[in-house]
């Protein structure tokens, strides 16, 4: 079937069971929390299991979801941690300046000076907006706010993301970088 990452788009991840009737908490990806219910059955990454949404309701930061064939808490608990995907061709093409997370993963991040900073390994949202998680050739991953100011240019064709970072972006302790001559 080719590279799962490019043919499939991550829509949601299943969390803990909710109640005793087989419902689960689902963390959706994307702007619309219910969008994972709009494009037909969802599949696991390896394609071995398919999930059909019977009903879904928003509760705070999660969507309480009932899947066809999951009728009790024990069955629901076995789903915890499963990522749910849909085939890419079921989604509409993104608008200008909109991107699917899966399109960004693996892109090379360069500075405005053309220096390679690393590769995007994930897009995260810890509650204050999207962050690009970047893995450099050496060292720990770091995050860049996914905003026009920090990421002025994305070239999917070339596989590049240009990042405009302040000079002191990587200095943990400003006093070390201060010139004391």
């Amino acid at each position: 079937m080719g590279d799962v990452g490019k043919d499939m788009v991550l829509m949601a991840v299943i969390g803990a069971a909710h109640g005793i009737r087989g419902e689960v908490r689902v963390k959706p990806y994307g702007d619309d929390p219910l969008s994972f219910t709009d494009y037909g059955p969802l599949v696991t990454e390896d394609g071995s299991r398919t999930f059909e949404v019977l009903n879904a309701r928003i509760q705070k930061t999660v969507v309480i979801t009932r899947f066809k064939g999951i009728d009790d808490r024990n069955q629901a608990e076995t789903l915890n941690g499963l990522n749910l995907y849909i085939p890419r061709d079921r989604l509409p093409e993104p608008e200008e300046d909109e991107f699917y997370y899966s399109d960004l993963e693996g892109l090379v991040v360069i500075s405005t000076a053309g220096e390679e900073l690393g590769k995007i390994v994930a897009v995260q949202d810890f509650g204050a907006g999207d962050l690009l998680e970047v893995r450099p050739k050496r060292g720990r991953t770091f995050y860049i706010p996914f905003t026009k100011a920090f990421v002025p240019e994305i070239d999917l064709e070339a596989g590049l993301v240009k990042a405009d970072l302040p000079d002191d972006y990587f200095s943990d302790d400003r006093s070390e970088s201060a010139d004391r001559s």
Side-chain angles (χ1 to χ4, degrees):
M1 195 177 94
D3 179 11
V4 168
K6 290 300 172 203
D7 296 338
M8 305 296 278
V9 175
L10 178 62
M11 296 298 288
V13 61
I14 298 177
H18 180 82
I20 59 170
R21 293 191 187 87
E23 290 182 319
V24 289
R25 297 166 196 258
V26 172
K27 181 185 183 323
Y29 293 101
D31 293 342
D32 174 4
L34 291 174
S35 66
F36 74 93
T37 66
D38 292 341
Y39 302 103
L42 298 142
V43 295
T44 52
E45 189 166 11
D46 62 5
S48 65
R49 295 185 70 187
T50 300
F51 294 91
E52 194 179 317
V53 175
L54 289 179
N55 56 47
R57 65 185 188 278
I58 297 172
Q59 189 175 72
K60 295 189 179 124
T61 59
V62 295
V63 180
I64 305 301
T65 307
R66 177 101 190 268
F67 292 108
K68 186 176 185 176
I70 306 297
D71 301 315
D72 64 42
R73 187 173 181 90
N74 290 346
Q75 288 176 304
E77 283 173 349
T78 66
L79 306 180
N80 196 343
L82 277 183
N83 286 325
L84 298 177
Y85 297 80
I86 63 166
R88 172 64 189 258
D89 55 25
R90 283 199 218 144
L91 288 171
E93 278 305 304
E95 302 285 316
E96 192 179 341
D97 283 347
E98 282 186 348
F99 301 92
Y100 290 121
Y101 290 169
S102 60
D103 290 344
L104 298 173
E105 289 168 13
L107 296 184
V108 173
V109 180
I110 58 170
S111 69
T112 48
E115 175 193 354
E116 186 175 322
L117 301 174
K119 280 195 169 134
I120 297 174
V121 291
V123 182
Q124 306 282 1
D125 184 353
F126 300 113
D130 291 335
L131 295 168
L132 300 178
E133 184 175 357
V134 179
R135 180 174 310 284
K137 283 192 167 84
R138 289 191 306 279
R140 295 200 320 258
T141 62
F142 62 92
Y143 296 96
I144 299 173
F146 190 36
T147 63
K148 211 60 173 148
F150 280 93
V151 184
E153 201 178 310
I154 295 174
D155 186 343
L156 291 178
E157 298 286 307
L160 291 176
V161 171
K162 194 171 278 183
D164 188 2
L165 303 177
D167 292 340
D168 61 356
Y169 194 75
F170 293 108
S171 70
D172 292 327
D173 183 358
R174 287 177 197 274
S175 64
E176 285 177 11
S177 62
D179 189 8
R180 295 202 189 104
S181 51

